[in-house]
Amino acid sequence: MSALQTSSSDVPTLLVKIFGKDRPGITAGLFDTLAAFSVDVVDIEQVVTRGRMVLCALVTEPPAGHEGELRSTVHSWAESMKMQAEIISGIGDNRPRGLGRSLVTVLGHPLTAEATAAVAAKITKAGGNIDRIFRLAKYPVTAVEFAVSGVAAGPLRTALVTDAAALGVDVAVVDAGLYRRAQRLVVMDVDSTLIQDEVIELFAAHAGCEDEVAEVTAAAMRGELDFEQSLHARVALLAGLDASVVDKVRAEVRLTPGARTLIRTLKRLGYQVGVVSGGFTQVTDDLQERLGLDFAQANTLEIVDGRLTGRVTGEIVDRAGKARLLRRFAAEAGVPLSQTVAIGDGANDLDMLNAAGLGVAFNAKPVVREAAHTAVNVPFLDTVLYLLGITREEVEAAETHDEQ
């Protein structure tokens, strides 16, 4: 029976720290050296930053009379590898982590020292302890993840998100645990989220009523108008347009930067991806085919005798409809609602964002930013990947795989 099996809290332990220039074989070499002294491994952590390594190994104390030899041997090995070593005696394992486990993702473009200091201070003030910090990405934004214990995700989110915009960063706080990477369905809005445009305004430009439609659209997105009423009012202005305009609008649609990367990476990692839109199936059906989306639902412009009638047909996709479709897609995908992610920018996305396990406001109106679980205010849709704990390396691996 090992020393750890008898008692883990009062066993004498040694913290062995190795630091210096990273090179292959350091980790194996250290543990080969320690193996000669019949120690058990309690904990390991290794960090490499700009080619410099810090390797920490917490091990049980060697048999009586051999600690001095262990220390001497480790220091000699480290010197031979042109590394430095430090060995600290102690008792037991790391102190227990406080109740409450949260993951705090901070996105900056750039991420300043001032913002980082403010986030760290707010975590401490909220009663949290930073257990680990890990960089998820260095471009197109800098994304770092703080593993925090001692405070629940809800109160921590309240403490951090309020001043995030003033600090020039986006902050997301989620419960730590396996479920985060188990979020297997992502559903997003289309207009001003997946694409840079408002589709009805593209149609309106061909009808010569762009300004009138844009004014109504803006009021609806701010939550000042009932969406269904505003939809009918805007579509009525399109009456008489030749149906050939559909192909022209499809050609004019501009994907949001990072949209292809987001979808490609999610699909490569086994996620299902869908869109719901207050726009029109004449565009979303095309996007579904082009991007390989699993689900798509929107309103449908009525076309009779080759011309738009100024009406829509079928079930209206409004604010409540988007949330309803999220639930439908989740059921069809076999994914619990708690394991879904919703992304949107307008007031008519709010029910969907609140229903999802994680609701992300993407370059959203203030009313949406305040109500969503988290907000992203940089113009790159693929930054949402970092909120899911997906690293830039995984993104690049997905892209490389698709190119092969």
Side-chain angles (χ1 to χ4, degrees), residues 199-211 213-214 238 241 249:
V199 169
I200 196 167
E201 293 179 11
L202 296 179
F203 277 101
H206 292 279
C209 57
E210 188 175 10
D211 290 342
V213 166
L238 308 180
L241 271 178
V249 168

Side-chain angles (χ1 to χ4, degrees), residues 107-127:
L107 309 178
H109 187 56
L111 179 60
T112 66
E114 179 185 11
T116 306
V119 169
K122 285 179 176 292
I123 290 173
T124 301
K125 187 175 181 180

